[in-house]
């Protein structure tokens, strides 16, 4: 089924157009034979022959209408194409009948007419049937053969020479037809195939998927569609070069193609490092889903096997979204969207996984899209506010971390761990981050002018902000507008350790530039990322924050090995340490005993408003 579609993807349309050409040629020239019969023959044979031409033309007309009116799948098109080939052959070969009839008569005029007509229809067939190589060769040979026999039977020297010329003409027609076929096939192949991997491309994918859906609508059954995206391929491409990346893609596609063929499926490359697989037809949904999961699992294992490319030993994984094709009301675009949703959910859950699309997942994505839409109006609608969570040290000096909150009129309170990643994905974090910075600086100045003793204010900064072209200039302008040098020395920008996986060198350059403006830095969520101690020593930071997960583990297991190790590292590097997520007295006592500098968490206070924070110290504080 897949090979048929590959061979005839656009040739169906091409052949369909040739039907009309043959009908026009036959109906416009056939009446001439009635005149010839009137002047040179008996008219009876010509009349019968003309009726035959009309019937054949009617056959062609019905084939053409059938193609236009019916939304056929590939198998149905192949049946139609087979019938059409018979029509085209008989439409050409019907002229041979009159050639034989006239060649057997004595009037030389009829011989001339039949010879010219027969050679003419041979040229027409070679030209119009070039998209179907075998049909063109078979038709041309059968049309020119009677001409060859005719000249041979004359048994004269000139006739033998004409017989030779007819052979040459046949060869030229076949050569021309074959070359045209090769050109058409090459053009189609390039239009429907990926140059690098030779897999079907996005155009081929769309038409094949639409064909599969048509077949499911007409015949019933189920099919599955896998959307496969390679994990961290861009890292390999950027670090080792596009040549290595291309060779890796070729090897990955080869493995997938082999596995897909074993499972009666077809693999296609949609672009970049994104592939898809479409299965054959199953009569049962459970069987279809089971086969999809089985193939997906095999794909994950095959893709993860080691690659040796240009003396590089490479490893790569994939995220796979699965959707089952069966709903006759759903179109190809919707199925692609479903698989795309599932695939990105697999990415979100840590990559190297398989996610099956379902209604719950769809609702989750719809909610995410709604959040994304409403978030863009959050500042305009004054829905964004700041909270301040106190940080406590041994002398009870005021410090805090600035936290952002979003309360939407339609959706209500949306947690930061939901909307901040969306803001980063959409780029809205730049505008949102600027607002948070400006409001934080305003608050810091206001507190300072009120005479409130204050040690530091920690503000979370996204890696996208840090690497944004205008960020340093924005910070400089805000400092000049709102803060003195004494006030700015109290500002700490918190960056997460996981952000160090991206553009470390550029990040360090920007951090140093901000350091010259008076900004200090804290490394947030320490211990959860992938930074090495060598990178840690290069970063211009003055503080480490122990992630809440380690404090939770301390509470649950009473084992403080990891926390104590982080404290030791920080002290050796002469860094202050903040422990966040402190909720119980045991945690507080353990951290104090091990010389943790600053504590933060619900044990002391939840995040509070600016006014509440101003009144928080010193009466309501849980002293340490």
């Amino acid at each position: 089924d897949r090979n048929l579609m590959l061979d005839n993807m656009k040739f169906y349309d091409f052949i369909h157009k040739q039907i009309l050409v043959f009908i026009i040629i036959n109906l416009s020239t056939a009446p001439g034979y009635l005149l010839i019969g009137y002047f040179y023959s008996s008219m009876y044979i010509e009349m019968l022959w003309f009726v035959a031409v009309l019937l054949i033309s009617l056959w062609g007309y019905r084939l053409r209408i059938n193609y236009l009116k019916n939304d056929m799948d590939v198998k149905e098109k192949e049946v139609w194409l087979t019938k059409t080939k018979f029509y085209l052959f008989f439409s050409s070969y019907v002229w041979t009948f009159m050639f034989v009839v006239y060649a057997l008569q004595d009037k030389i005029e009829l011989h001339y007419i039949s010879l010219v007509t027969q050679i003419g229809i041979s040229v027409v067939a070679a030209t119009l049937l070039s998209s179907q190589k075998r049909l063109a060769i078979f038709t041309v040979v059968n049309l020119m053969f009677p001409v060859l026999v005719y000249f041979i039977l004359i048994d004269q020297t000139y006739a033998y020479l004409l017989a030779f010329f007819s052979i040459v003409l046949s060869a030229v027609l076949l050569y021309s037809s074959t070359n045209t076929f090769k050109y058409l096939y090459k053009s189609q192949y390039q239009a429907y195939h990926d140059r690098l991997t030779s897999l079907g491309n996005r155009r081929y994918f769309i038409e094949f998927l639409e064909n599969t859906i048509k077949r499911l609508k007409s015949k019933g059954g189920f099919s599955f569609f896998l959307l496969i995206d390679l994990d961290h391929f861009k890292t390999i491409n950027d670090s080792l070069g596009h040549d290595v990346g291309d060779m890796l893609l070729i090897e990955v596609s080869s493995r997938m193609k082999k596995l897909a063929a074993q499972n009666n499926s077809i693999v296609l490359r949609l672009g970049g490092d994104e592939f898809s697989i479409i299965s054959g037809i199953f009569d049962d949904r459970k069987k279809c889903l089971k086969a999809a999961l089985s193939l997906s699992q095999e794909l994950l294992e095959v893709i993860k096997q080691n690659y040796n490319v240009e003396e590089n030993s490479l490893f790569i994984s994939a995220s796979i979204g699965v959707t089952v094709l069966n709903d006759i009301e759903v179109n190809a675009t919707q199925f692609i969207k479903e698989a795309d949703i599932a695939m990105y959910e697999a990415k979100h859950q840590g990559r190297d996984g398989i996610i099956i699309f379902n209604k719950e997942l769809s609702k989750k994505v719809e909610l995410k899209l709604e959040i994304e839409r409403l978030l863009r109006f959050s500042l305009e609608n004054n829905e964004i506010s700041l909270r301040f969570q106190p940080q406590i040290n041994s002398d009870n000096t005021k410090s805090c971390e600035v936290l952002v909150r979003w309360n939407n009129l339609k959706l209500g309170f949306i947690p930061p761990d939901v909307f901040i990643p969306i803001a980063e994905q959409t780029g809205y974090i730049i505008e949102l981050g600027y607002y948070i910075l400006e409001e934080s600086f305003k608050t810091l100045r206001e507190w300072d002018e009120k005479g409130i003793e204050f040690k530091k204010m920690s503000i979370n900064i996204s890696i996208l902000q840090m690497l944004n072209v205008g960020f340093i200039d924005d910070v400089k302008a805000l400092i000049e507008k709102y803060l003195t040098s004494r006030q700015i020395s109290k500002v700490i920008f918190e960056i997460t350790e996981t952000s160090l996986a991206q553009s470390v060198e550029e990040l360090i350059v920007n951090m140093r530039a901000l350091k010259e403006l008076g900004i200090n830095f804290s490394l947030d969520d320490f211990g959860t990322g992938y930074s090495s101690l060598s990178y840690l020593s290069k970063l211009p930071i003055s503080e480490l924050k122990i992630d809440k997960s380690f404090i939770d583990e301390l509470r649950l297991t009473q084992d403080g090995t990891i926390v104590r190790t982080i404290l030791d590292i920080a002290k050796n590097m002469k860094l202050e340490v903040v422990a966040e997520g402190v909720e119980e007295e045991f945690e507080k006592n353990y951290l104090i005993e091990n010389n943790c500098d600053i504590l933060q968490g619900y044990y002391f206070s939840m995040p509070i408003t600016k006014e509440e924070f101003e009144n928080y110290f010193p009466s309501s504080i849980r002293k340490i």
Side-chain angles (χ1 to χ4, degrees), residues 582-593:
V582 180
E583 297 182 0
E584 295 184 1
E585 189 165 0
F586 166 77
E587 299 163 4
K588 183 202 76 168
N589 293 335
Y590 182 90
L591 291 164
I592 293 172
E593 289 169 6

Side-chain angles (χ1 to χ4, degrees), residues 174-197:
L174 293 175
Y175 175 78
S176 174
S177 181
T178 301
N179 273 3
T180 303
F181 171 80
K182 288 179 179 178
Y183 172 77
L184 289 171
Y185 192 85
K186 183 179 179 181
S187 298
Q188 182 219 311
Y189 189 89
Q190 291 174 341
Y192 282 89
H193 284 78
D194 174 55
R195 178 192 58 78
L196 179 66
T197 64

Side-chain angles (χ1 to χ4, degrees), residues 405-443:
R405 296 292 182 263
W406 178 28
N407 201 337
N408 179 255
L409 182 64
K410 179 179 179 181
L411 300 178
F413 174 74
I414 297 120
D417 60 351
V418 172
F419 74 83
I420 291 297
I422 293 175
E424 290 181 325
Q425 291 165 12
T426 59
Y428 188 68
I429 192 66
I430 305 300
E431 185 177 347
L432 179 61
Y434 183 89
Y435 171 82
I436 294 170
L437 269 182
E438 185 172 29
E439 292 300 308
S440 299
F441 285 5
K442 285 181 182 178
T443 301

Side-chain angles (χ1 to χ4, degrees), residues 462-476:
S462 165
I463 184 64
L464 295 179
Q465 286 177 273
M466 284 293 298
L467 298 178
N468 183 261
V469 175
F471 182 65
I472 295 174
D473 289 337
D474 286 343
V475 173
K476 185 177 181 180

